């Protein structure tokens, strides 16, 4: 079973996320801080879902930059409570796979993003197989 | 029209369902005002009954804790902490409430962020009360009552 990391300092949203992702067939590991997530990155999660606004003054952007510097291939889905274009642009510039606002359509968009991510990974796998054989 | 009146007041043509329900009588409109949205919850859960139930249970289990934290912050008159708690709450309620209600919480959060707020306690307390009502509506929904 693939594992998705969820980094959010809000326990309610963590649980919402867990319910949705479990139902989609993913195992979920939740972290309250970016630091905890970084320490577990060696487990190579299928994706990291990262909140913009973390506890202890951590910024989701900084954590994403650190993730990308350590493991560039790990897809990051960036969540934010703010409807702010500049935050979205900045997140995508740093390398977010998707930017999702925590609004009434958040989980619908999350599902779509994960389905898209599965397709991208499958395509990458197919190309690898074609180039290097089985 | 001030923010508080637009978002939370129980008089006038304040809240969103007033127009949605098209009731001619103001007092009936007030009675029918609601914040919880089964439609939003269902859409978020792709109509999956098990998931709706699970998400609603999580909300009912954990949202009171968020409300307590908010109340504490308001009582301490700590604007920064109140803004942070409202930010979390905004994310949480987006899963179960009407977009307009979430927007009103979002506006309050934005106002607090600027630090330029008059009548901090009454405004935030009004928001707190309406969030409590949201919780009550969610409870009613979960026990199968029509809201």
């Amino acid at each position: 079973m693939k594992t998705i990391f969820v980094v959010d300092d809000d326990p309610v949203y963590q649980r919402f996320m867990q319910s949705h992702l479990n139902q989609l067939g993913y195992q979920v590991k939740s972290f309250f801080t970016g630091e905890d997530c970084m320490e577990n990155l060696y487990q190579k999660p299928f994706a990291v879902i990262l909140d913009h606004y973390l506890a202890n003054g951590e910024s989701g952007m900084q954590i994403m930059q650190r993730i990308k510097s350590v493991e560039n291939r790990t897809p990051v889905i960036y969540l934010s409570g703010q409807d702010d274009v500049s935050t979205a642009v900045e997140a995508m510039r740093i390398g977010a796979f998707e930017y999702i606002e925590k609004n009434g359509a958040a989980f619908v968009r999350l599902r779509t993003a994960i389905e898209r991510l599965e397709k991208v990974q499958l395509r990458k796998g197919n190309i690898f197989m074609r180039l290097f054989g089985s | 029209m001030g923010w508080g009146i637009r978002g939370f007041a129980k008089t006038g043509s304040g809240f969103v369902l007033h127009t949605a329900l098209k009731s001619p009588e103001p007092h009936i409109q007030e009675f029918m005002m609601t914040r919880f949205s089964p439609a939003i919850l269902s859409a978020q859960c792709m109509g999956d009954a098990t998931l709706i139930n699970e998400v609603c249970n999580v909300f009912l289990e954990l949202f009171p804790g968020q409300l307590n934290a908010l109340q504490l912050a308001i009582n301490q008159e700590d604007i920064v902490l109140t803004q942070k708690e409202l930010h979390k709450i905004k994310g949480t309620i987006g899963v179960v409430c009407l977009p307009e209600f979430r927007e009103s919480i979002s506006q309050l959060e934005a106002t607090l962020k600027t630090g330029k707020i008059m009548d901090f306690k009454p405004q935030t307390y009004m928001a707190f009360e309406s969030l409590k009502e949201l919780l009550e509506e969610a409870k009613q929904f979960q026990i199968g009552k029509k809201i």
Side-chain angles (χ1 to χ4, degrees):
Chain A
M1 192 186 271
K2 291 173 184 169
T3 303
I4 294 180
F5 284 6
V6 172
V7 192
D8 196 321
D9 65 344
D10 177 3
V12 189
Y13 221 80
Q14 274 190 4
R15 287 275 300 278
F16 284 160
M17 204 77 79
Q18 191 160 4
S19 299
H20 277 83
L21 295 172
N22 285 344
Q23 207 230 14
L24 288 173
Y26 297 96
Q27 192 182 341
V28 176
K29 283 195 177 170
S30 301
F31 304 100
F32 284 97
T33 67
E35 205 54 54
D36 289 344
C37 170
M38 292 302 298
E39 283 173 13
N40 286 277
L41 214 56
Y42 69 90
Q43 296 175 21
K44 297 202 183 300
F46 174 66
V48 176
I49 298 173
L50 182 62
D51 188 38
H52 176 57
Y53 198 56
L54 295 169
N56 310 325
E58 283 182 306
S59 148
M61 292 288 180
Q62 287 168 352
I63 299 299
M64 182 158 62
Q65 274 172 331
R66 285 179 64 193
I67 291 172
K68 289 290 170 188
S69 66
V70 173
E71 187 50 80
N72 189 35
R73 282 175 298 181
T74 302
V76 177
I77 296 172
Y78 203 80
L79 290 180
S80 175
Q82 288 157 330
D83 178 16
D84 178 9
V85 177
S86 60
T87 309
V89 170
E90 182 64 7
M92 299 307 275
R93 192 188 63 77
I94 293 174
F97 179 78
E98 184 65 277
Y99 175 90
I100 296 172
E101 193 199 340
K102 283 179 169 178
N103 59 18
F107 289 107
V108 178
R109 290 199 56 204
L110 180 67
R111 278 173 185 245
T112 310
I114 287 172
E115 281 167 14
R116 197 159 60 83
L117 187 55
E118 285 283 6
K119 282 181 190 164
V120 169
Q121 303 288 58
L122 187 66
R123 212 176 302 141
K124 279 183 185 170
N126 286 344
I127 292 169
F128 186 84
M129 290 284 277
R130 240 179 278 155
L131 289 173
F132 302 105
S134 48
Chain B
M1 185 184 287
W3 171 87
I5 293 169
R6 186 147 50 87
F8 303 111
K10 295 195 174 189
T11 54
S13 58
F15 208 63
V16 60
L17 277 196
H18 289 186
T19 48
L21 294 169
K22 291 182 178 163
S23 171
E25 300 296 327
H27 65 281
I28 295 174
Q29 289 174 350
E30 283 175 31
F31 179 72
M32 286 192 287
M33 274 200 315
T34 183
R35 290 148 177 89
F36 183 79
S37 170
I40 292 283
L41 175 61
S42 178
Q44 291 264 19
C45 299
M46 304 287 190
D48 184 311
T50 313
L51 194 55
I52 290 170
N53 190 46
E54 200 175 319
V55 168
C56 203
N57 281 338
V58 170
F59 180 77
L60 293 177
E61 182 193 334
L62 298 177
F63 191 58
Q66 285 189 326
L67 281 180
N68 287 341
L70 176 66
Q71 191 177 24
L72 203 66
I74 294 170
N75 288 342
Q76 290 171 351
E77 297 190 32
D78 186 333
I79 293 183
V80 177
L81 190 59
T82 304
Q83 181 254 317
K84 282 182 179 171
E85 295 301 338
L86 277 175
H87 183 83
K88 282 186 193 173
I89 284 172
K90 183 179 76 176
T92 302
I93 65 172
V95 181
V96 298
C97 80
L98 288 163
E100 291 80 358
F101 182 59
R102 180 185 177 275
E103 184 54 34
S104 55
I105 295 293
S106 181
Q107 282 178 19
L108 177 60
E109 188 216 342
T111 309
L112 291 178
K113 211 169 187 176
T114 63
K116 293 171 187 168
I117 183 165
M118 289 166 70
D119 303 328
F120 163 80
K121 223 165 176 177
Q123 280 210 47
T124 47
Y125 211 79
M126 211 186 285
F128 171 74
E129 286 297 323
S130 59
L131 287 164
K132 265 169 55 180
E133 285 171 26
L134 171 69
L135 180 64
E136 283 307 311
E137 288 175 3
K139 279 180 191 167
Q140 286 180 31
F141 170 77
Q142 192 64 339
I143 58 175
K145 285 182 184 168
K146 193 180 175 190
I147 53 173

